[in-house]
Amino acid sequence: MNLGVFNRVNYNIKDTEGGGMYSEWASLTSLVQHGNEESQSVLAKFPMSAGKDVAVAVVKQLASNLGLTQAAEPSPLTTDKEVMWCMEVICFGMSLPLSEHDTIRDCVSVYCEWLSALLPVPKVCVPKPVCEDPNLYARKMITHFHNLFIPRKGEVWPFPYLDISADTINRQAVLCHRVLRTLQHLAHQSSRLDRHTWEALLLFLLAINDTLLSPPTIKDDVGDQLCERVLSVLFEVWLLACVRCFPSPPLWKTLRETCMNWRHRVALVEQWNRVNILLTARLLEFMYGPSFPEIKIPEEDAQLIPANASRDCIAQSWFRFLHCLGNPVNLCRPSVVSQTQKFLQFAIISETVVDPSQHPCLSALPLIFLKAIKGIAGLVDAFLGIAQPFLWEEGSCGTGSRDKKEGASSHPPSATHSPTPPPQRRLAKSFSVAPSAVTKGMPKASLIGLTSSRASTVQTPSTPNSGPSSASSLPSVLSLGSDTRNPLAPGRPKCNSILHLFGEWLFEAANIGCEGAFQNRSAATRLDGNSSKRPSSVLVDNRKGSFSQPASLADESEPPLPPGGGKYEAGRAEALGALCRIFCAKKTGEEILPVYLARFYLSLQQGLRVPENRECGESLASILLNSSDLFRLDLDGVQVLLPYVTDALEVVLPDKDLKLKSLSVSKTELRRASIHLLLSMLALPLHFQNLLIKELSNTNPERGHVTFAQLKPRLMNLLINALQVESDSQNAQMLLGGLMLSVQDSASAEEVEQVTQPDVGPGSDTTSNLLSSDSAHALFVRATYLVCHRLISSWKTDLNVSLAALELLVGLARTHIRETDALECKRAVKWLCDYIMHQCGRPPPAHSKDLHSAIVAAFQCAGVWLVAHPYLLQDKESLTNVLEVVELGISGTKSQGKPGEPVKMKDEKELKPASMRVRDAAEALLTIILEQVGYFPSPCGPESLSSLLDEVSLVKHCNSWPGGELSQEAAIEHFRYFVIENSTVLALLEEPLGNDQDPQPTVTVLIRGPFGRHAWTMQLRHLPRHKSGTKYHTPNPGRPVPMADVGVRHEVRQRYFPDSVDRIPQCKIDRSIPTLDSLSAEEPGLQQLQHLIERQSTLEQSSAEQKQKQEAEQGFCQQQECMPPTPCQEYQTARLFLSHFGFLSLDSANGNVESPTTPITALNPSIPGFCQDLEALDSMSSRTCDTVHVFYVRAGQKTPEEILANVLSPDTVHPHFLEFLLSLGWPVNVYRHPGWTGHLTTSWKICQPQSTDEVHHSKHGGCLYDGQTNVLYWADASSEVAFVVPTRHSDAGSSVPSFDSSGSFSGDPALSGHGWYERSISESNPRSQRSLDKPRTLSLDLDKQPSPGEGSRRRTGATRNLPTHSNTKVLVVWIESFEDHLNFPLSELLSTTYTGLESSRPQERETFIIFLQSLASGLLRVHLQGPVGRTSLATPLVDGMVVSRRVLGSLVRQTALNMCRRRRLDNDSYQPPHVRRRLKVQEMVQKYRCEMTQPELLTYLFTSPPS
């Protein structure tokens, strides 16, 4: 016997947990533990055999009247004396050995029937005295029931079980279940219970629970069998008593004290959790109203609390139940849990157990501790409004049941037992009276979840969801990434309020096992807590467990746990996760008490410690999973955690084979949460630079002082290494966005500071030096190499990651780095070409929409690289690579195949591109190479790729223009119109321009092709300009001096042949050629020629005679002066131009025999509608155009009027807002701007303002760029975007199109006729309406358009309606308070975002919103909101990213452009701008072509041009 333990049996242990609200009240614990005298029968004074005989005889007779085997009869007992005597017998009968099961069963049956006296309709067999005073007799019967639950002699110890079979114990359990069910039903249905009966009932339930549960757990004994049931009935009846007869303080104190004796039972914590969540659901309902997220509780459990329960009753019950277990953290202290009489008694008589804390059943404490902390964490989540389902009891899943059994018993897991009572008779639900089947392995596991709002009807799931393993797992909410995390409730309480309730327990639980780290500071902490000058309601050091010092630190008698918590680390991790969720729920502007922040940071410091084996423990994982928002919330002093968080991230992110201690934590979600933390830290080093990070404690002196700048190399390496090993698609995209942020931020910082961080040593391009440097150049090289390598190797099959990688490469190409590595750029373009070739060369089954989307994006990326680095095309290898992939994209094969294969010429190849989209993208790249590379932007700026000259402006420069106004229709009459190759319209003006006095053959050509409008002026010259002299035609030189010597005129007879021919004799062959005279009569042409000769001879003879006559009369002959002819001013230059450029050929009628159409087609501009279609063609930009609308929301604003009025004054916007606007693009005047202006009516033309008085805003908050007179604009060679800041004025002045009930466009027909909103053929043409009902043609020859009657093959996924994703709505919203993004009035503000391109009413769910919140540090937090789709996650901005001001505008612009590009790629019906222009030209050919043969065409060209 352990005498030391024996001496402690009667020692009055100071109840350290018995204080609080019940300290002034007496306890009834002794009454509960030692029993009531009324539960003892007088028959117990006699020998057992005598008492048994009496009980068997009497009870059998009483049971015969109950109606169990025959009809019920009235009871023969008519007086109180008779009833009392029988009850003494029944009382003794319930204490009989279990071998007398039948007698015990009859005793139970008699009492269960008699208790119906408390029901509205008592049964017939109830004695009359019982019916007259039911409460008195009910109290006695309830007291007598206690004998049934007492374990029989020897059943408490394990060794006597040999003579008592399990079946016997099961029989006792069945009877106990019946009694509990009867009392449970009585409490629910009876309205006659008085206060004394309620108290007797509650004391009875406390007594039987204490009797069965206070001893140490023995597997399969009655206590183990009934544990769950007796606890459920106790808590349910107690809940009912709270509503109908609120228990007195002594009862509450007794409940608290007895519950502490049962803390080694798993079921106690499970029931405690369920009651807490039930009460919390009702509490939140009246505290925060119906808009607060509702806790979803199964219907049978929701009925446990009567609907008529008052608010005060709910609040009082909630708080008292919450504290009925005392301090839940003591569950991790076996020495505290085992300080009960039963444990001490067991230790006295046990041979193996030396100390009560060594009892085997206490091995379940880690699981119990975990469940308790998980329950508290669930309550925290409920107050935060996290709409996430929780599974309090993991017994419903296989792993949870196994872990529960292993933790709750010292027996091996293989030891199983049959459920008692049988499944068909056992109650299924803890709080339900209706019977249903359930096994012991599935106890009362009801799914309790939180729904989004009470307004929505949520169906209760029929089956509970399986959760993670309970023994060493984190709750399911911990495995959710921020992209799938449910939002916090907007009306949630403040963090301080939640911490007042749960902070003491959570902080103490979070620091178990960390006592050694605080020993050196405990005194200082206590002193600091007492002398704190800051107001705090939690500095209560007058009792143990104060907030200024954990109770675990003050209790020096408790042996410290192993570092990290040991077996209790799962519970500690749960507490850390709950704390992280509380602090990350901080609202904008909310203040948290400094004492809470200090304890939180200390807890995180200990939890983020990295073990020597580099294993990610549960605490570390829990912190990372729940603290994604840690650095986004303006928490005071949170930067002190940066070094510790960086250490933790270096364990998780760079390791491909991460070692996780908990198998239930998803590596992908853990990495995602870690990436969110990393993205919120990337901007800090360059923002704070050399500021010192304060050391949180002196526990790690070797760390030294660290500055923010010193963390940058670590963060950059962490980012690169994480991207190198990342396998999840979404995680990789987030890392790519972070990489783009880092490169641009570094480049911008170096450009602003004019200081480039030098690479180490002379060989700065070596790999080792690049890895050790964090300069913009080094990051550029590393990023380019890594992304290109992974794009080809492992990302090529993932569309989203490929798009993100290509978006990163686009951003890198545009990033201005002074030390750009030409070789690296060349390598990047080579990798892009290899990527395109590899993707195009994949087998046919692999070709899909996603594959072709990636190829199209790669072509676009290559174009950006070439425009940004035009010197690449000067390299022969780069030029060859690019042109080869262009050829591959257009034709499907390369002329130069594998080595050794013959070269395929262009005319020998069959055009089989991978798809039409790929061919279109390749054509666009080819055009960029030929027209834009090295020439963009043009001297006129990037606003327009097309010439601004049109027919009107050209005609006004002609010499023949008389002046005055000139309409488009009148100007067109001066031009000839031709279409070449069915894709390019030529407008030929044959009049010389007025500013050219050189009378050379001149032609002015307006070329309207797929890639824009261009103006050429050409002259036909026989000599180059530098050889023609300054004057092309010399003046008249005058007459020469006459010569006196006149020559002799010889009369000579002209002959056709020499005289000798007459002397040659003729032969027969000479006569074979007929003479001219002999043919004159037969050939009419010869007669006409003879007539002309005679006429000419007559004229010459007449002239000679006139000359002779004049000489005779006057004596001399007047000579006429020779004058040069007037230079020709009119030429048929259209014919010359077409002939010289090869569009006219006399060798072949068509010029291309195989072509089904002529290479040149004349158009008739006089047909009505030609001018309108020409204007529509000019309104089709050759670049993609997008519009971004920018709003400013002040804190608390919810109405559109308030939001639109903010930008009217600089005083109502943040000082950095205007700086941000100007970083998006450059200001342009909409009337003088030739590009996209944000609205169709003013775009792609230079027009006159409606009013000449142009308003200049000297002071504004952004309203200047509302689209009325000015907008912000940005463009490159392939896209243009306008940034508009809507105001109330612009909203009132803009014409909002109308839409019918179906949402289709029914606005201004002129607007729709000029709009080019992603159409294949203009909507204004009724004849071409068929194109709206069919997808884009799959023909490789775009000239082949199906006739109206022909069927066209439909593309998979193509829709019959107009594309809905083309005109993507992108909004940028600057918010002062982050919570305002929940109340942003999007539907009302969409009316201010019309651009004229809409074909249907804009939908809220299709709108992208980029929220920007300015933090107190000067950085900005990003929140993205938009439609959920396969390709919606555009980069470089990522939800939750924290960025600096210097790169904010660039990143927002890139993200907006990428959002629009991705929607276009995902749209089956989308056609690139050059394809739309080409189809428009084909439409004009069909409508306005002149049906001419080749001779008629030539004749038309030889006629005079129109005047």
Side-chain angles (χ1 to χ4, degrees), residues 17 77 349 555 624 786 803 1067 1107 1348 1390 1405 1410 1468:
E17 299 175 316
L77 305 177
I349 64 175
D555 187 6
L624 295 179
L786 174 60
L803 292 180
C1067 58
K1107 179 181 179 181
L1390 276 180
R1405 63 177 182 272
I1410 303 174
D1468 291 333

Side-chain angles (χ1 to χ4, degrees), residues 149-172:
F149 290 85
I150 296 176
R152 299 314 187 247
K153 184 179 180 181
E155 294 177 9
V156 177
W157 320 116
F159 49 85
Y161 279 173
L162 299 176
D163 58 347
I164 298 181
S165 64
D167 182 63
T168 304
I169 298 178
N170 291 342
R171 288 184 176 185
Q172 181 187 13

